[in-house]
Amino acid sequence: MREWWIHVGLICIPLVAVYLHIPPPQLSPALQKWHNAGEVFHFRGREIFYRDSYGALGSSDVVILLHGFPTSSYDWNKIWEPLTQRFHRVIALDFLGFGFSDKPRPHRYSIFEQASVVEALVAHLGLSNQRVNLVSHDYGDTVALELLYRSDQNRSGHLNFNSLCLSNGGTVQSLLKDSSFLAPLLTRLTNYMIFHKGIGDVFGPYTQPTDTEFWDMWTGIRYNDGNLVMDSILQYINQRLKHRDRWVGALTSTFVPLHMIYGPLDPVNPHPQFIRLYQQLVQRSTVTILDEHISHYPQLEDPTGFLNAYFNFIHSF
């Protein structure tokens, strides 16, 4: 019996070794087009990918889009063109460790660093004195709250907010976060099927991504071996708990116009408990609840509804 297990081990070890070195998938034409339309700037020696599109004539308004975990700026692709028809400039970036940006390892990823990345991008684009509108989703919501805190505290280099629109936030990948001993191995063994299941669970049953869209998300993660840094990035969940008072305090005390666009089928932020708590805590914020079949990725599941809600908010002040 012992010899049988030895043989199985001898076969499995090289197979696992080969699996861990499977090259990342090729970019689809749509993802390649997104990449080609972008640029990079350097933040503390790291390359950060961003897109900056000039749009509406006669407008000076700027909107900056902050994506969620574990995806990238490509999450905004379905609303990009309509935004350029309303705003003078539409800007999005891939946070450090995401999408087409550098993914250093080992590295202590933090919400504070990502906020500094956004501030550095704004300075790089010559917009430090420009009032900007932020739209955020998931992980990007927490980065936006740190930026809001710095702005309200008048910190050096802070953004000048014109408005902030949040959307469904905070995917909790509990297995990867809580099992710190197993996390590096689990992230290396994550494959497309596991990813497909996990992401599919936070989309509504009638708003699932197409096979091509699933594959584009996975490709963005695998680019620059991003699957190997997910366990480090996920430590932001601990940061949210530790700094809850700082970020909730920024939300409850700010005078910046606030809005929340919410997909109510979200298993991460269940309806109606989540939105009730949000409205109790952030009484100055307005809220749009989208159709009942919309879940955690409202900008992808219902781009028209998302845009209508956002434009109504922008035109309200």
Side-chain angles (χ1 to χ4, degrees):
M1 181 64 71
R2 177 184 294 178
E3 291 181 357
W4 180 81
W5 280 108
I6 291 173
H7 288 317
V8 169
L10 290 173
I11 293 170
C12 288
I13 288 170
L15 287 176
V16 170
V18 169
Y19 171 77
L20 295 180
H21 291 87
I22 291 175
Q26 294 294 309
L27 304 187
S28 70
L31 203 54
Q32 185 69 60
K33 182 179 178 181
W34 186 266
H35 180 266
N36 292 345
E39 302 176 66
V40 297
F41 83 104
H42 289 86
F43 175 82
R44 299 175 185 171
R46 311 293 187 183
E47 287 193 349
I48 303 296
F49 173 87
Y50 70 94
R51 284 201 60 182
D52 178 14
S53 293
Y54 285 80
L57 298 175
S59 170
S60 61
D61 294 345
V62 175
V63 63
I64 301 174
L65 312 174
L66 306 181
H67 69 81
F69 178 91
T71 42
S72 71
S73 60
Y74 192 60
D75 289 350
W76 306 108
N77 76 92
K78 291 186 178 181
I79 65 172
W80 191 264
E81 289 305 320
L83 288 174
T84 64
Q85 296 170 24
R86 167 59 181 81
F87 290 92
H88 175 57
R89 290 174 79 171
V90 180
I91 299 162
L93 75 158
D94 288 345
F95 290 123
L96 187 68
F98 294 80
F100 296 125
S101 290
D102 279 353
K103 298 169 179 176
R105 66 180 196 276
H107 185 78
R108 293 177 64 89
Y109 291 90
S110 77
I111 294 297
F112 301 102
E113 182 180 45
Q114 303 289 20
S116 296
V117 169
V118 177
E119 290 176 337
L121 174 60
V122 168
H124 172 75
L125 296 176
L127 296 172
S128 295
N129 297 318
Q130 171 78 41
R131 293 175 67 83
V132 297
N133 302 281
L134 251 64
V135 180
S136 60
H137 172 243
D138 188 77
Y139 182 89
D141 285 351
T142 310
V143 178
L145 295 186
E146 172 58 19
L147 290 165
L148 184 66
Y149 175 85
R150 296 181 186 187
S151 178
D152 286 349
Q153 296 294 315
N154 204 28
R155 296 285 182 91
S156 176
H158 70 81
L159 269 62
N160 292 304
F161 275 81
N162 190 54
S163 70
L164 171 59
C165 179
L166 306 166
S167 59
N168 297 62
T171 302
V172 179
Q173 305 284 346
S174 59
L175 178 62
L176 296 180
K177 168 190 161 296
D178 295 334
S179 306
S180 56
F181 154 70
L182 290 173
L185 176 62
L186 290 170
T187 54
R188 284 161 173 77
L189 292 176
T190 296
N191 59 26
Y192 174 70
M193 289 183 291
I194 296 171
F195 168 79
H196 187 290
K197 174 67 167 61
I199 288 292
D201 285 347
V202 298
F203 279 76
Y206 307 113
T207 56
Q208 288 285 302
T210 65
D211 289 342
T212 299
E213 289 167 344
F214 271 123
W215 195 250
D216 283 341
M217 291 180 190
W218 176 241
T219 301
I221 291 170
R222 285 297 316 280
Y223 191 90
N224 284 342
D225 292 327
N227 54 308
L228 304 185
V229 303
M230 284 197 296
D231 59 303
S232 299
I233 292 172
L234 273 166
Q235 297 310 308
Y236 88 93
I237 296 168
N238 295 328
Q239 295 165 28
R240 285 196 320 180
L241 295 172
K242 182 178 180 179
H243 302 287
R244 180 184 183 279
D245 291 345
R246 175 188 181 104
W247 293 327
V248 172
L251 261 183
T252 57
S253 64
T254 188
F255 289 99
V256 169
L258 295 172
H259 192 66
M260 166 69 74
I261 300 177
Y262 175 63
L265 200 59
D266 188 353
V268 179
N269 304 291
H271 183 68
Q273 298 95 318
F274 169 79
I275 209 66
R276 285 177 180 167
L277 178 60
Y278 177 81
Q279 289 177 310
Q280 288 172 4
L281 287 173
V282 195
Q283 296 181 9
R284 291 189 60 256
S285 176
T286 52
V287 172
T288 298
I289 301 176
L290 298 176
D291 290 346
E292 61 183 13
H293 62 277
I294 305 303
S295 187
H296 186 71
Y297 274 83
Q299 75 275 37
L300 291 174
E301 297 178 67
D302 184 11
T304 300
F306 191 98
L307 283 166
N308 287 340
Y310 184 58
F311 288 153
N312 286 339
F313 164 60
I314 285 294
H315 295 148
S316 69
F317 59 89

